[in-house]
Amino acid sequence: MAIGAHVAYRDLVGFGRRNMDVESADLRADVIYQIGALKGLAAAAGTTVRYVKPHGALYNTIAHDERQARDVIAAIREIDASLVLVALAGSPLLGWARDAGLRVVAEAFADRAYTPNGTLVSRREPGAVLHDAEEVAARMLRLASEGVVTAIDGSSVRIEAESVCVHGDSPGAVEMARRVRALLEQSGVAIRSFVDAA
Amino acid sequence: MAIGAHVAYRDLVGFGRRNMDVESADLRADVIYQIGALKGLAAAAGTTVRYVKPHGALYNTIAHDERQARDVIAAIREIDASLVLVALAGSPLLGWARDAGLRVVAEAFADRAYTPNGTLVSRREPGAVLHDAEEVAARMLRLASEGVVTAIDGSSVRIEAESVCVHGDSPGAVEMARRVRALLEQSGVAIRSFVDAA
Amino acid sequence: MAIGAHVAYRDLVGFGRRNMDVESADLRADVIYQIGALKGLAAAAGTTVRYVKPHGALYNTIAHDERQARDVIAAIREIDASLVLVALAGSPLLGWARDAGLRVVAEAFADRAYTPNGTLVSRREPGAVLHDAEEVAARMLRLASEGVVTAIDGSSVRIEAESVCVHGDSPGAVEMARRVRALLEQSGVAIRSFVDAA
Amino acid sequence: MAIGAHVAYRDLVGFGRRNMDVESADLRADVIYQIGALKGLAAAAGTTVRYVKPHGALYNTIAHDERQARDVIAAIREIDASLVLVALAGSPLLGWARDAGLRVVAEAFADRAYTPNGTLVSRREPGAVLHDAEEVAARMLRLASEGVVTAIDGSSVRIEAESVCVHGDSPGAVEMARRVRALLEQSGVAIRSFVDAA
C-alpha cells in the first residue's frame, strides 16, 4: 500500500466535483496546502506520502487544460519533486508532467467504457459505467496482458496504463476490486505498488 | 526572522477567536493538519517552520486547560518534535510541554497590562490594553533587563519571558514594535530569534 | 407534519455538536440567517416554517445558559414571533422564552434515561441511551398518560412534555418511532402536530 | 434606498468571483437559501428585500449562460416572484427573465469601458476600467440623457439601462458616486429607486 494525496478544488460542499476557474496562484497554493497537510498527517502516523492523484473535477480538468495542469505540476515540484503524479491514460497531462521532470503513472478506469479514441465515454451517455465485476475483470486482464481494451463500439483500443482505478464510492466497488485482483493474479500478472517500482 | 505556525480552532468565520469544545482526536488532527500545510508552503518557498504559537482562543485555552493543552502538545510531537512551542509566560502550559519533551519559549505581551499575580488583565477591564509606544518600550526594557513589569496596581511583578509579542492587528503596531526594538538595542539588549538560540 | 428550523452553531465540520462561545450579535445573526434560509426554501416548496428547535450543542447550552438563551429568543422574535420554540422539558429556557412572549413546547427524549431530578443522564454514563424499542414505547406511554417516567435509579420523576424526540440518526430510530406511535395510538393517546394545536 | 440580495456561488474563499460549474438543483437551492437568509435579516430589521443582483462570477455567467440563467430565474420566482432582477444591460438574460415573468432592471457600469457592440471591455485589456470621476460622470449623463455611451474606439453605442453601478470596492468609489449623482441632478435627471418605480 502507498499513500497518495488526492488534492481537489477547495469546494467541500461539492466534494471537489464541480469545475472551478481558479487563478494560478490560488490553485498552486491550494495544492501545496493540501499535500502539506497530508504529509503532516502521514508523518504523525510514521509514514510518508508517495504520490499525488488529483480528485474529481480537478483530475478531469488538468487532463487537458494546460494552464491548470502546469499549476498543479509546479505545485507538486515545489513541495516535493519526488512525488509521483497519477494521471489519465492517454491525456496530454502525462507529457506536460514528464517534461517538467515529474515521474508519472498513467491510470485506466476499470469501471468505465472507452471510446474508440481511448477517451472515457461521458457519464451522461448510456453504457458509460460498467457494473459487471466479471466483465470488468476480463477487460482489465486484457489491458494488462495485451495493452488494449474493447471500446464501446466493439473495436479494440490501445491504452497505456500502469494503474487501474476502481471508484471506491461505487456500490460493489470492493467486490469488483477483488475480482480484478484475483483474475490478474490467477493469470500470472503481478500487482505491485507503482511507487515501490520507482 | 523565523516562521511559525499559528494554529487555531477550525473557525474561519470567527477568526479562531471563539472558544470551541473540540474533542481530542479532532483537535490533534486539526493541529497536525495546519502545521503540515504550513510546512508544505514553507518547503515550496525554500524554508522551514521552526515554531508553533497557537492563535486566538486556542492560545488562551491551552494556557490553563490541561486536556486541550496535552492534545496540542501531542500533535506537535507527532508531526515534528523539534518545533518550539511559544506559550503564555507564567502559564502551566509551559511545564506540561517541557515535561513532554518540547522546547518552550515563554511570551510576554508588550501592549497588555499585568495583574500583581503576573496574569494578563482581562480586556474587559479598563487599562487592559496599552497604547503609548514610549511607555510600552520602557516596560519591555525593564522586563528584559530586570525580569519584572509594573503591574496595574503599581506593584512590581516578575515575568519570565524570552519573547515579546506586539499584536499585529492593533493600530500603531508597527510603530510600537519599532520603539520597543530601538529602546532595547540602544540599551544594549540584543534581539535574536529564539529558534536560532536553540 | 410541520417544518421546523433546527438552527445550530456555525460549525459545519462538527455538525453543530461542539460548544462554541459565540458573541451575542453573531449568535443572533446566525439564528436569523438560518431560519430565514429555511423560510426561503419552505416558501419555494409552497409551505411554511412553524417552529424552531435548536440543534446539537446549541440546544443543550441554551437549556441553561441564560445569555445565549436570550440571544436565541430575541433572534426568533425578531424574524417571526409566531414561531414555536421547542426546548428541553424542565429547563429554565422554557420560562425565559415564555416571559419573552414566545410559545414554547417542552420536549422529552424517548431514547434517553432520566435522573431522579428530571434531567437527562449524561451520555458518558452507562445506561444513558436506551435501545429497546418496547421499553422505550412503554416509557413514553407512561409519560403521556401519567406525566412521569422511571428514572435511572428506579424512582418516578415528573416530566412535563408535549413532544417526544427520537434521534433520527440512531440505528433503529425508525422502528423505535413506529413502536412509540403504535403503542400510544393503541392506548388511546392521539398524536397531533403541536403547531396545529396552537 | 432599497435592499437587494447579491447572491453568489458558494465560494466564500474566492468571494464568489470564480466560475463554478454548479448543477441546476444545487444552484437553485443556493440562490433560494441566500435570498431567504437575507429576507430573514431584513425582516428582523423591519424592512424587506426588493431586488436580486447576482454577484461576481454568477452575474457574468448568467448574463449569457442560458442553463444557469434559467436556474437563477426559477429560484427567484419560487421564493418570491415580486423580486426585481438586476442584470447586465444588453444581455440575453434580460429577455429570459422577462419571458419568465420577472421584472428586470438593466444595469450599466459607470467605471467600465464598452466595446462598439455594447459589451464590457474585458478587464484584461488596457483601458477597461475608468478612474477619472469627471469623465465617468459625463459618460453617465450622456447615457441618461441620450441613451448612448462612447465606446473604447470612440464610436457611440446605444445602452439601454435603468441603473448605474459603481463598484463599491474600487478606490475612489464614494467620490465617483458623488460626482455621478451631482452631475445628473444638476442636469435635471432625477434619481429614484427602481423598486419604488415598479
Side-chain angles (χ1 to χ4, degrees):
Chain A
M1 197 185 71
I3 293 171
H6 288 218
V7 297
Y9 290 128
R10 190 166 170 170
D11 171 28
L12 294 179
V13 170
F15 195 47
R17 289 195 161 141
R18 307 189 289 199
N19 264 318
M20 289 182 72
D21 187 20
V22 181
E23 291 188 12
S24 292
D26 291 335
L27 181 53
R28 288 164 72 154
D30 283 342
V31 168
I32 292 169
Y33 190 98
Q34 292 177 44
I35 296 174
L38 187 65
K39 276 175 165 274
L41 294 164
T47 183
T48 52
V49 176
R50 304 293 302 278
Y51 72 94
V52 176
K53 175 180 165 182
H55 162 81
L58 184 60
Y59 182 92
N60 294 321
T61 295
I62 66 170
H64 57 81
D65 180 307
E66 185 168 354
R67 196 267 298 173
Q68 290 201 27
R70 295 207 183 278
D71 293 332
V72 173
I73 292 166
I76 295 170
R77 284 178 48 82
E78 284 169 14
I79 187 171
D80 182 353
S82 77
L83 291 166
V84 174
L85 175 65
V86 176
L88 181 65
S91 68
L93 171 58
L94 294 165
W96 297 327
R98 268 192 213 106
D99 291 349
L102 286 185
R103 192 184 146 219
V104 294
V105 165
E107 177 176 57
F109 287 89
D111 50 2
R112 293 291 297 278
Y114 280 83
T115 69
N117 295 324
T119 62
L120 297 173
V121 174
S122 165
R123 283 177 183 273
R124 289 170 192 157
E125 297 191 24
V129 180
L130 309 178
H131 302 286
D132 181 330
E134 294 302 335
E135 179 196 355
V136 163
R139 287 167 62 83
M140 291 304 103
L141 175 58
R142 191 175 177 213
L143 174 67
S145 52
E146 301 172 38
V148 295
V149 296
T150 305
I152 198 162
D153 67 350
S155 64
S156 291
V157 57
R158 180 155 297 276
I159 304 286
E160 296 190 18
E162 299 173 77
S163 182
V164 167
C165 175
V166 176
H167 285 97
D169 55 354
S170 307
V174 173
E175 179 57 22
M176 186 179 285
R178 280 200 189 107
R179 296 293 182 94
V180 171
R181 181 182 197 108
L183 185 61
L184 288 174
E185 292 184 338
Q186 288 162 18
S187 309
V189 178
I191 296 174
R192 294 181 313 183
S193 166
F194 49 73
V195 291
D196 292 331
Chain B
M1 198 186 70
I3 293 171
H6 288 218
V7 296
Y9 290 128
R10 189 165 170 169
D11 171 28
L12 294 180
V13 170
F15 195 46
R17 289 195 162 140
R18 308 189 287 200
N19 264 318
M20 289 182 73
D21 187 20
V22 181
E23 291 188 13
S24 292
D26 290 335
L27 182 53
R28 287 164 73 154
D30 283 342
V31 168
I32 293 169
Y33 190 97
Q34 291 176 45
I35 296 174
L38 188 66
K39 277 176 166 274
L41 294 165
T47 183
T48 53
V49 176
R50 303 295 301 276
Y51 72 94
V52 176
K53 176 181 165 182
H55 163 81
L58 183 60
Y59 181 93
N60 293 322
T61 294
I62 66 171
H64 57 80
D65 180 306
E66 185 168 354
R67 195 267 298 173
Q68 289 199 27
R70 294 208 184 276
D71 292 334
V72 172
I73 291 165
I76 295 171
R77 284 177 49 80
E78 284 169 13
I79 186 171
D80 182 354
S82 76
L83 291 166
V84 174
L85 176 64
V86 176
L88 183 65
S91 69
L93 171 57
L94 294 165
W96 297 327
R98 268 192 212 104
D99 292 349
L102 285 186
R103 191 182 148 222
V104 294
V105 165
E107 176 177 56
F109 286 89
D111 49 2
R112 292 291 297 277
Y114 280 85
T115 71
N117 296 324
T119 62
L120 297 174
V121 174
S122 165
R123 282 177 182 272
R124 290 168 191 158
E125 298 191 25
V129 180
L130 309 178
H131 301 286
D132 182 330
E134 293 302 335
E135 179 196 355
V136 164
R139 287 167 61 84
M140 291 304 102
L141 175 59
R142 192 176 175 211
L143 174 67
S145 52
E146 302 173 38
V148 296
V149 296
T150 306
I152 198 162
D153 68 350
S155 65
S156 290
V157 57
R158 179 156 297 276
I159 304 286
E160 294 190 19
E162 299 172 77
S163 181
V164 168
C165 175
V166 176
H167 285 97
D169 56 353
S170 308
V174 173
E175 179 57 21
M176 186 179 284
R178 280 201 189 107
R179 295 291 183 96
V180 171
R181 180 182 197 109
L183 185 61
L184 288 173
E185 291 184 339
Q186 288 161 19
S187 308
V189 178
I191 296 175
R192 294 182 312 185
S193 167
F194 49 74
V195 291
D196 292 330
Chain C
M1 196 186 70
I3 293 171
H6 288 219
V7 296
Y9 290 128
R10 189 165 169 170
D11 172 27
L12 295 180
V13 171
F15 194 47
R17 289 195 161 139
R18 308 189 288 200
N19 264 317
M20 289 182 72
D21 187 20
V22 181
E23 291 188 13
S24 293
D26 291 334
L27 182 53
R28 287 163 74 155
D30 284 341
V31 168
I32 293 169
Y33 190 98
Q34 292 176 45
I35 296 174
L38 188 67
K39 277 175 166 274
L41 294 165
T47 182
T48 53
V49 176
R50 303 294 300 277
Y51 71 94
V52 176
K53 176 181 164 182
H55 163 81
L58 183 61
Y59 182 92
N60 294 322
T61 295
I62 66 170
H64 57 82
D65 181 306
E66 185 168 354
R67 196 266 299 173
Q68 289 200 26
R70 294 206 184 279
D71 293 333
V72 172
I73 292 165
I76 295 170
R77 284 177 49 79
E78 284 169 13
I79 187 171
D80 181 353
S82 76
L83 291 167
V84 174
L85 175 64
V86 176
L88 182 64
S91 68
L93 171 58
L94 294 165
W96 297 327
R98 269 192 211 103
D99 291 349
L102 284 186
R103 191 184 147 219
V104 294
V105 165
E107 176 177 56
F109 286 88
D111 49 2
R112 292 292 296 278
Y114 280 84
T115 70
N117 295 324
T119 62
L120 297 174
V121 174
S122 166
R123 282 177 183 271
R124 289 170 192 157
E125 299 191 23
V129 180
L130 309 177
H131 301 286
D132 182 330
E134 294 301 335
E135 178 197 356
V136 163
R139 286 167 62 84
M140 291 304 102
L141 176 58
R142 192 176 175 211
L143 174 67
S145 52
E146 302 172 38
V148 295
V149 295
T150 306
I152 198 162
D153 67 350
S155 64
S156 290
V157 58
R158 180 155 297 276
I159 304 287
E160 296 190 19
E162 300 172 78
S163 181
V164 167
C165 175
V166 176
H167 285 97
D169 56 354
S170 308
V174 173
E175 180 56 21
M176 186 179 286
R178 279 201 190 109
R179 296 290 183 97
V180 171
R181 181 184 196 108
L183 185 61
L184 288 174
E185 292 184 338
Q186 288 161 19
S187 309
V189 179
I191 296 175
R192 294 181 314 185
S193 167
F194 49 74
V195 292
D196 292 330
Chain D
M1 198 186 71
I3 293 171
H6 288 218
V7 297
Y9 290 128
R10 189 165 171 170
D11 172 27
L12 295 180
V13 171
F15 195 46
R17 289 194 161 141
R18 307 189 288 201
N19 264 319
M20 289 182 71
D21 187 20
V22 181
E23 290 187 12
S24 293
D26 291 334
L27 182 53
R28 288 163 74 155
D30 284 341
V31 168
I32 292 169
Y33 190 98
Q34 292 177 46
I35 296 174
L38 188 66
K39 276 175 165 275
L41 294 165
T47 183
T48 53
V49 176
R50 303 294 301 277
Y51 72 94
V52 176
K53 176 180 164 182
H55 163 81
L58 184 60
Y59 181 92
N60 293 322
T61 295
I62 66 171
H64 57 81
D65 180 308
E66 185 168 354
R67 196 268 298 174
Q68 290 200 27
R70 295 206 182 278
D71 293 332
V72 172
I73 291 165
I76 295 170
R77 283 178 48 82
E78 284 169 14
I79 187 171
D80 182 353
S82 77
L83 291 166
V84 174
L85 175 64
V86 176
L88 182 66
S91 69
L93 171 58
L94 294 165
W96 297 327
R98 267 192 213 106
D99 290 348
L102 286 186
R103 192 185 148 218
V104 294
V105 164
E107 177 177 55
F109 287 88
D111 49 3
R112 292 291 297 277
Y114 280 84
T115 70
N117 296 325
T119 63
L120 297 174
V121 174
S122 165
R123 282 176 184 271
R124 289 170 192 157
E125 298 191 25
V129 180
L130 308 178
H131 302 285
D132 181 331
E134 294 302 335
E135 179 196 354
V136 164
R139 287 167 61 85
M140 291 304 103
L141 176 58
R142 193 176 175 213
L143 174 68
S145 52
E146 301 173 37
V148 296
V149 296
T150 306
I152 198 162
D153 68 349
S155 64
S156 291
V157 56
R158 178 156 298 276
I159 305 285
E160 295 190 19
E162 299 173 77
S163 182
V164 167
C165 175
V166 176
H167 285 97
D169 56 353
S170 308
V174 173
E175 180 58 22
M176 186 179 285
R178 281 201 189 106
R179 295 293 182 94
V180 170
R181 180 181 196 110
L183 186 60
L184 288 173
E185 291 184 338
Q186 287 161 20
S187 308
V189 178
I191 295 174
R192 294 181 313 184
S193 166
F194 48 74
V195 291
D196 291 332

